[in-house]
Amino acid sequence: MAHAVTEAVHSDEHLLVQAGTGTGKSLAYLVPALATGKRVVVTTATLALQAQLVNHDLPRLVEAVAPVLGRTPTFALLKGRHHYACLARLEPGAADDDDGLFDTDTQWLGAAGKLVQQVTRVREWAEESDTGDRADLDPGVDDNAWRQVSMPARECVGAARCPFGDDCFAEAARAKARQADIVVTNHSLLAVDLLSGRHIVPEHALLVVDEAHELTDRVTSAAQAELTAELISRVGRRLRAFVDEKLRDDVEGSADLLERLLDGMPTGRLERLPEPLYDALFLVDSSARAALDALGGEVGPEEADAVKRNQAKQGLTTLVDIVERLLAQSTHDVAWLSREDRRPPTLHVAPLSVSAALGSGLFRNRVVVAASATLALGGRFDTVARSLGLDVEYGRTPDTGDVRPVEPPEPDDDSDDQPPPRWRALDVGSPFDYPKQGILYVAARLPKPGMSGLSDGAQRELVELVTAAGGRTLGLFSSRKAATAAAEALRAATDLPVLLQGDDSIHLLVRRFREEPQTCLLGVASLWQGVDVPGDACQLVVIDRLPFPRPDEPLTAARSKAVDDAGGSGFMAVSVPAAAIRLAQGAGRLIRAAGDRGVVAVLDPRLHNARYGEFIRRTLPPFWYTTSPDVVRGALTRLSETASARV
């Protein structure tokens, strides 16, 4: 992998590289990156990998390469603005009632005193802190309190227009990143950088996208906008000192109208805006524009109330942008209404696809290395390449014998257009011997899973498997209801310790699972990735059903319909690849070290019987495959006996 990254850098050819667990892929891209002598940006999807790079890998590596390079390379961590305390928000009087500190939507009932205490503690900490980074605040504060002392990027007026701009923690982090050899950041900030013209992340020659299978979802999230009546009301409250009462009342009145309208609307996708909703949004747009005109131009940081005035203007500008996008009803966007617990009805608008934005912005004027343990879906790189905006014809892959089917045209010196990116895909494999270390078992005789949770047959199968394994089971479930049913079934049928997500923090549950023999840990979403428990503690991973996205999820439904309308299969193009990635991430929890042994058991017969089953199986590590319950129970029993003998 290190040789492939080096070749990519020298040939200006982008690289998609699948590197299984245990490859050491961070070293494989960091060493060639440091050897370039140019600035490199590494972006990750998870905080855990960021922490590993900054706290473990890079400190050791820069010392190791210093004798070779003749100097010690530098590195910096760059996060989004909301990760840093905002001095303008911490200024006494800044977080007053107009700004929402004591709004009912931003506090827990009866917890106002606690909220004020936490904000006060952050203010005192910020006076001493060198970074203002939330990660350095110990003990920490609730998300609710942090929202009062930080500034979302969409509301920030910018350093040049803020009286605290010279001392801004976020700006200081950016300045440090501009001087570093390696900048570590996250997919969300990279996405914002892409969508805003690439002026946030420092200029660089090489971009490494680790956990690359997550990138398109993070870019979609960054390009998504949300509108609530409360957002409009908050913008209106910020206008009180700067515009006349009628203009402010018009903005707040438009919020009241929208709130009443959304309360009576069903949730789901809005293929066309209903006429009453269109009229209500038009009223929001016109009232916001009138207030924006009345505010006039931006004021300098030396002016009185500069921050609040510029924030009011920024809030109106953001509001107009969101409403304009909703009113446009573009075929390139998907709009929908959601209603969730503890949140007001929310209008969303997101791009139908981000591949064009990635294709035009991600690969321009830099070499991109995209790495992940899950890039070859169904054994091929085509699906991921297309999602990243790459033309399959211009790629060298294992399927094409590492030969490009078509050479892209040479750049025209008289044109500003960039030629299509040249790219190569490579699977470097894994140091693990998956066929000897692991078994993939599919319960092919069970009925297709229903919508009611975990069936009686699946519960019996689960109990038999876990009993044979003597516990040591990580259960990954599609719903909280299914996980709870599984926990109840195991507690009723066995004496094994059973931990259920929600009983305690994830960190503590995983630690108990790792340290206490014969324990079972059952849960949902957050356990599918990031749980790293090598050794005998995890010898059975049970997955209740194929993790297809919900068919009524608006973006999934819209993307599937677009493929169907073009003559393809939306289910095969959208839902199956998503399930394959998710299942591979879950199955990857089993083998974490060279000495690990165990079973991945999928209680969904479609993985064996359905026409797409083979595609999904080819995405998983190449475990030894069986559908025989007797074979798998025998293997688990032997593993359990061996593990017990070692205790």
Side-chain angles (χ1 to χ4, degrees):
M1 179 175 170
H3 283 294
V5 173
T6 302
E7 180 185 338
V9 170
H10 290 300
S11 65
D12 286 332
E13 181 180 49
H14 308 292
L15 176 67
L16 308 185
V17 55
Q18 178 163 284
T21 303
T23 303
K25 64 180 181 296
S26 59
L27 292 179
Y29 59 65
L30 287 174
V31 172
L34 286 169
T36 65
K38 300 176 182 177
R39 182 178 296 116
V40 176
V41 170
V42 180
T43 174
T44 75
T46 61
L47 292 175
L49 181 54
Q50 265 189 25
Q52 176 190 315
L53 291 172
V54 172
N55 299 327
H56 185 260
D57 294 346
L58 279 167
R60 294 190 307 157
L61 185 57
V62 295
E63 294 299 328
V65 302
V68 179
L69 298 181
R71 65 183 184 89
T72 302
T74 58
F75 58 90
L77 179 61
L78 182 62
K79 304 178 182 179
R81 286 189 180 276
H82 64 282
H83 288 279
Y84 302 95
C86 172
L87 296 174
R89 296 294 299 272
L90 289 169
E91 180 72 1
D96 55 24
D97 191 48
D98 284 349
D99 212 28
L101 179 57
F102 296 113
D103 287 352
T104 55
D105 71 316
T106 58
Q107 72 166 30
W108 296 305
L109 190 61
K114 176 183 176 183
L115 187 62
V116 173
Q117 288 175 351
Q118 292 192 354
V119 169
T120 301
R121 183 159 63 83
V122 175
R123 181 179 290 131
E124 294 170 350
W125 163 79
E127 291 176 355
E128 305 295 331
S129 174
D130 294 327
T131 66
D133 188 339
R134 183 181 183 181
D136 296 336
L137 176 62
D138 185 20
V141 296
D142 336 286
D143 290 347
N144 200 34
W146 189 257
R147 279 194 292 270
Q148 312 308 321
V149 300
S150 60
M151 185 70 71
R154 66 178 179 275
E155 296 182 17
C156 179
V157 300
R161 296 186 293 275
C162 178
F164 301 92
D166 291 342
D167 300 312
C168 175
F169 289 125
E171 291 296 326
R174 290 188 183 186
K176 183 178 179 182
R178 285 193 290 269
Q179 302 302 315
D181 296 297
I182 291 189
V183 179
V184 178
T185 187
N186 57 73
H187 289 358
S188 297
L189 188 61
L190 176 70
V192 172
D193 184 59
L194 282 173
L195 297 170
S196 59
R198 285 178 54 174
H199 66 274
I200 299 172
V201 177
E203 287 189 12
H204 51 280
L206 173 64
L207 171 66
V208 178
V209 182
D210 205 340
E211 301 175 312
H213 62 281
E214 297 268 15
L215 183 61
T216 54
D217 284 345
R218 301 304 171 93
V219 175
T220 299
S221 295
Q224 178 176 320
E226 297 181 355
L227 179 68
T228 65
E230 172 52 34
L231 171 64
I232 303 168
S233 295
R234 189 161 63 246
V235 170
R237 289 195 298 271
R238 289 180 174 176
L239 296 173
R240 289 177 184 172
F242 308 115
V243 301
D244 64 47
E245 186 176 356
K246 180 183 182 305
L247 287 173
R248 188 181 71 244
D249 287 348
D250 285 347
V251 172
E252 295 187 356
S254 72
D256 293 339
L257 175 61
L258 184 66
E259 182 177 31
R260 291 194 300 272
L261 188 63
L262 296 182
D263 281 341
M265 286 181 57
T267 59
R269 185 184 176 192
L270 301 166
E271 295 198 43
R272 299 295 298 174
L273 297 181
E275 187 173 345
L277 178 58
Y278 186 95
D279 292 343
L281 291 172
F282 187 84
L283 183 62
V284 173
D285 183 62
S286 58
S287 63
R289 287 178 181 277
L292 198 55
D293 289 341
L295 269 178
E298 293 166 347
V299 297
E302 71 284 351
E303 300 288 335
D305 288 331
V307 172
K308 288 190 174 183
R309 176 181 282 274
N310 286 333
Q311 275 188 324
K313 187 177 181 67
Q314 185 70 32
L316 285 168
T317 302
T318 300
L319 182 59
V320 167
D321 289 344
I322 296 171
V323 174
E324 269 194 345
R325 191 171 166 192
L326 284 162
L327 289 172
Q329 303 185 77
S330 168
T331 56
H332 300 295
D333 273 336
V334 180
W336 70 95
L337 174 66
S338 71
R339 188 177 288 107
E340 300 173 5
D341 291 343
R342 300 183 182 181
R343 285 205 67 189
T346 303
L347 287 168
H348 307 258
V349 59
L352 182 64
S353 170
V354 295
S355 61
L358 286 170
S360 62
L362 183 65
F363 303 97
R364 190 177 71 249
N365 299 330
R366 60 186 171 196
V367 173
V368 176
V369 173
S372 170
T374 315
L375 286 183
L377 306 186
R380 298 175 62 92
F381 289 87
D382 299 12
T383 300
V384 167
R386 290 191 182 96
S387 73
L388 295 175
L390 291 170
D391 192 321
V392 174
E393 286 191 331
Y394 301 140
R396 295 191 289 143
T397 73
D399 298 315
T400 64
D402 205 30
V403 176
R404 211 179 320 280
V406 176
E407 286 294 332
E410 293 296 324
D412 185 349
D413 293 338
D414 298 327
S415 173
D416 293 332
D417 294 336
Q418 292 281 319
R422 299 180 305 122
W423 59 279
R424 178 193 181 196
L426 177 68
D427 184 349
V428 299
S430 167
F432 303 148
D433 191 345
Y434 283 111
K436 291 184 178 179
Q437 290 183 244
I439 295 173
L440 173 62
Y441 165 65
V442 179
R445 300 175 189 177
L446 286 177
K448 176 183 173 182
M451 300 303 293
S452 58
L454 201 63
S455 69
D456 292 343
Q459 290 185 34
R460 287 193 296 271
E461 184 89 27
L462 173 68
V463 169
E464 291 174 358
L465 290 168
V466 173
T467 301
R472 303 182 177 87
T473 299
L474 176 64
L476 305 175
F477 294 89
S478 55
S479 67
R480 175 75 185 180
K481 182 178 180 181
T484 302
E488 291 173 352
L490 288 172
R491 287 166 178 164
T494 75
D495 295 325
L496 297 166
V498 177
L499 307 176
L500 179 62
Q501 187 176 353
D503 291 347
D504 209 330
S505 70
I506 291 293
H507 171 72
L508 291 177
L509 289 174
V510 172
R511 187 171 72 183
R512 285 187 60 189
F513 179 55
R514 181 184 295 114
E515 295 176 353
E516 300 175 11
Q518 300 184 317
T519 298
C520 302
L521 174 58
L522 314 181
V524 289
S526 53
L527 293 184
W528 285 74
Q529 294 188 61
V531 176
D532 190 1
V533 183
D536 294 340
C538 182
Q539 294 190 330
L540 172 62
V541 174
V542 178
I543 298 170
D544 68 326
R545 63 187 300 151
L546 295 180
F548 292 114
R550 289 173 57 94
D552 59 351
E553 195 278 319
L555 266 177
T556 298
R559 289 168 175 170
S560 294
K561 185 177 184 299
V563 176
D564 289 339
D565 291 347
S569 168
F571 177 73
M572 291 297 295
V574 177
S575 296
V576 171
I581 291 175
R582 181 93 163 155
L583 190 67
Q585 293 296 311
R589 301 308 95 204
L590 181 67
I591 305 298
R592 311 299 297 175
D596 289 351
R597 302 287 187 276
V599 172
V600 174
V602 180
L603 309 183
D604 189 335
R606 293 175 295 179
L607 187 57
H608 179 74
N609 300 328
R611 69 185 189 281
Y612 49 78
E614 185 180 356
F615 175 92
I616 296 178
R617 293 200 306 272
R618 286 203 307 268
T619 305
L620 306 181
F623 300 116
W624 189 80
Y625 180 58
T626 184
T627 59
S628 168
D630 293 334
V631 168
V632 77
R633 284 197 297 266
L636 286 170
T637 300
R638 291 189 294 275
L639 285 171
S640 176
E641 292 170 349
T642 302
S644 297
R646 282 198 286 260
V647 175

